[in-house]
Every structure is written in structure tokens, then in C-alpha cells.
Amino acid sequence: MTQITPKPLSPIEKIYPPGTQLDVTLSPDSVGKIKFPERTDRMLLSPLVEAYYNKETGLLVRAVVFVARKETKNLDFRIYQNCYIDLDGNPQLQFFISYDLVETKETDFLVYEVAFYANEIPYGPLSQIKTIQSFLWDVDPVGSRGTETNVQHN
């Protein structure tokens, strides 16, 4: 019997998250900066996310993203939308905020705001969505962090 072993990933291979890439660009100018001088680990800082549904405009997602100062040059910033059906049969939305994170114990972060509308989903109207999940995805990969956000209706 032949044993099949998957090829290991090369250390420079990038892995992008599941879903469809949205047409979102990050402003080249940050809206501020934040410092964590006592920071000693390489944990990622989760994005701060809010989501709003309006029947005229759709599902608007606003996020605040913290990018280490060292990572801002040549930043390959992308957002992906993924939709799936949960165990109860309800459609769920995930958003992956992805870029290549520098593996360093950074203490200085630039703050960026990004806003985008969710694409329609194949499993029903966006008005069904009660929560969204958002993740920070490292494409090289080291790890990811995420949050779950309630969708607010007008």
C-alpha cells in the first residue's frame, strides 16, 4: 500500500481566505495611531466592526483596522466575503480582512477605517442575517483573530 503525504507549504507561499474578494481599498492615510508600549507578544489585534442593514442600501459593514507601522509599506490589503449555511439552516456571513503581517513584537499601530457593502448571497435576502463574523487573516500564515458582530436594523 502506498502512503500519500501532502507536500508541505513553502515558507513564502501565501494562503488567501475563502470567499469572494470585495472591491475595497484602504485609504493610504491612517485616521490615527495607537501605542501599546508594554506589548510583548505577537498576537494580532482584532478589527473593530459594526454592521447595519437598511432595505434601501443593503448591509453596510464598517471596520477599524490596526496595522503595525512596519507593515504599512507595500500593504496587500484585501477583504473577502464568505457565505455558508449553519446547522440550523440559516445563512451566515463571514468577512476576512487579510494582509501579510510582519512577525514582530510591534508596539506602534496605525488606525485605518474601511466601509463596504456586502454582496448579495445565494441563500436568501441579506435582511435574514442577524450576525456577521469578521476575521483578521494573515496570508503568510501565522494566525488569525476574529469577532462576531450583531447586525443593526434601521
Side-chain angles (χ1 to χ4, degrees):
M1 190 173 238
T2 305
Q3 182 177 356
I4 299 173
T5 305
K7 283 182 17 181
L9 295 174
S10 75
I12 58 170
E13 186 175 345
K14 293 184 178 184
I15 300 173
Y16 291 93
T20 305
Q21 183 178 344
L22 300 178
D23 187 24
V24 178
T25 56
L26 195 63
S27 168
D29 300 319
S30 69
V31 296
K33 58 186 173 182
I34 188 166
K35 187 174 189 122
F36 297 100
E38 293 80 21
R39 187 175 164 91
T40 60
D41 62 21
R42 295 180 176 159
M43 292 293 292
L44 307 177
L45 294 178
S46 296
L48 176 61
V49 179
E50 286 198 343
Y52 305 92
Y53 178 76
N54 180 305
K55 63 182 174 183
E56 286 84 32
T57 59
L59 180 61
L60 172 66
V61 179
R62 293 189 179 275
V64 175
V65 181
F66 306 96
V67 179
R69 186 178 300 275
K70 294 177 183 177
E71 297 170 345
T72 57
K73 290 186 178 185
N74 302 318
L75 184 64
D76 182 16
F77 181 87
R78 301 175 189 199
I79 296 180
Y80 293 83
Q81 175 180 318
N82 189 45
C83 182
Y84 67 95
I85 299 295
D86 68 12
L87 294 174
D88 296 323
N90 300 313
Q92 299 296 321
L93 270 180
Q94 297 174 319
F95 295 97
F96 296 92
I97 300 168
S98 74
Y99 58 93
D100 194 357
L101 300 166
V102 175
E103 296 180 34
T104 181
K105 295 178 185 176
E106 184 64 53
T107 60
D108 294 331
F109 293 85
L110 296 178
V111 179
Y112 292 90
E113 292 178 358
V114 64
F116 55 91
Y117 285 95
N119 290 338
E120 290 298 322
I121 57 175
Y123 309 118
L126 285 172
S127 60
Q128 289 181 212
I129 302 296
K130 303 293 182 228
T131 61
I132 63 169
Q133 294 176 333
S134 54
F135 299 91
L136 182 60
W137 182 284
D138 186 358
V139 297
D140 66 0
V142 171
S144 64
R145 291 191 63 154
T147 61
E148 186 170 273
T149 304
N150 290 323
V151 175
Q152 302 174 38
H153 289 262
N154 294 24

